[in-house]
Amino acid sequence: MQVIHACCAGLDVHKKTVSACVSVCNPDGTKAQQVRVFGTFTRDLLMMADWLKQQGVTHVAMEATGVYWRPVWAVLEGQVNQMLVNPQHIKAVPGRKTDAKDCEWIADLLQHGLLKGSFVPPTAIQDLRDLTRYRAELRQAQARVANRIQKFLEQANLKLASVASDVLGVSGRQILEAIIGGQESPQRLAELARGRLRSKISELSRALEGRVRDHHRFMLAEYLDEWETLGQRVTRIEEEIDKRMGPFESAVTLWKSIPGVDQVTACSLVAEIGVDMSQFPTARHLASWAGVCPGNHESAGKRKSGKTREGNRWLRRTLCQAAWAATRKKNCYLSAQFKRLAARRGVKRAVMAVAHTLLIIAYTMLKTGKGYHELGGNYLEQINKDQLQRYFVKRLQRLGLKVTVEPSAEAA
């Protein structure tokens, strides 16, 4: 096989050690390899970087093993050309599984150009990604606590959720604090309602006739305190995200011009794919990396499973949430696409298709710098207007109706 990199290195990264193999291809065609094992402390990684530099290494490849690759990447950044590789793509030959053999195998594959690097965003995007993912985790934790509060209300036969749409809204929290404080009168608890909930005071009073014990009060107090603490942490994280989002404000504005994408969603999407689309040759490459397009599995001329691959789960979840929001828009191309596909292929496939379209649109917008252009809800119908007209006329004729089609004054 053709040698692509004359002097390169393969790294097998672990928690405590890094096995490094330098592979050098001499002009006469012979190959020489050196293997050394380094620790993962900063001093050890700096020693490894100096050793690679002394050996004349120009390209380095390593497996994406958890988070252990990140400090190695940070130390070598700017000194050599690095490549982060999916472990599934470089499985060693069975029977040759040791740390030394692993790094030799990685170096050999890299030398012959058989490795494909993964997308590693810049440091600023990586930091932003940590914040947005942590915010999503905090929101999930807060939702779990809210479910626990609802569970204890049901145990005490307090049917607050049957009357109030938001148990933890302003009225709901005041009622819960009064219950925790020892208030037992349903009428007095109902009088704490605010806003539109006051029109349901009589119904609310009946819903708050329960059997509350001290155990329920104690647990509700703990859960409510945890819920409020998580909300404060979310607020601090969002403030930090807003500070870090300054250099990427133009990309956020482009994302928000797409139906279904709000400020929180736009920040999360920028953190996952960045703003430099040159990392992806085409929009289809980005969709494949994100895991929002059908899988490609063909053998002996037969197309087999088209299941979507496991891509970036954070990005895919955010895109699907935006797709669901876009389906609620009126006179919107994305909403029309969802309804068109959901009738034939099902709701889940339709949502994934809309998420795929969202990502393709965003790629084009970030690539060109142009804003979103709405095609309208009837765009898909206008493509095959005559065919659609004949289809509906035939259906009406089957019902025994005589149909005469004339263009309306607006269309004319």
Side-chain angles (χ1 to χ4, degrees), residues 239-308:
E239 291 174 354
E240 184 66 19
I241 291 174
D242 292 338
K243 294 179 183 178
R244 304 286 185 92
M245 198 56 70
F248 315 111
E249 192 62 35
S250 59
V252 173
T253 303
L254 289 175
W255 269 110
K256 288 169 62 178
S257 65
I258 304 176
V261 179
D262 59 2
Q263 177 71 21
V264 173
T265 305
C267 293
S268 300
L269 292 170
V270 169
E272 294 301 329
I273 67 175
V275 296
D276 183 13
M277 294 297 101
S278 62
Q279 298 282 349
F280 305 96
T282 64
R284 293 182 177 183
H285 285 82
L286 174 59
S288 176
W289 173 78
V292 293
C293 63
N296 190 8
H297 186 193
E298 183 178 338
S299 179
K302 296 181 180 179
R303 184 177 178 89
K304 299 188 177 181
S305 174
K307 182 180 179 181
T308 55

Side-chain angles (χ1 to χ4, degrees), residues 125-181:
I125 297 294
Q126 292 184 34
D127 296 343
L128 190 61
R129 180 181 290 183
D130 292 337
L131 291 170
T132 55
R133 291 181 178 182
Y134 184 48
R135 175 181 57 187
E137 292 175 349
L138 289 176
R139 285 295 188 188
Q140 291 176 353
Q142 197 176 27
R144 287 193 292 268
V145 175
N147 290 335
R148 295 192 189 103
I149 292 175
Q150 176 61 25
K151 171 186 173 182
F152 267 87
L153 289 175
E154 291 294 335
Q155 286 186 9
N157 201 29
L158 297 173
K159 302 294 184 178
L160 180 60
S162 300
V163 181
S165 59
D166 186 5
V167 175
L168 292 171
V170 175
S171 301
R173 289 200 302 272
Q174 290 186 356
I175 292 174
L176 289 177
E177 290 172 358
I179 292 173
I180 294 169

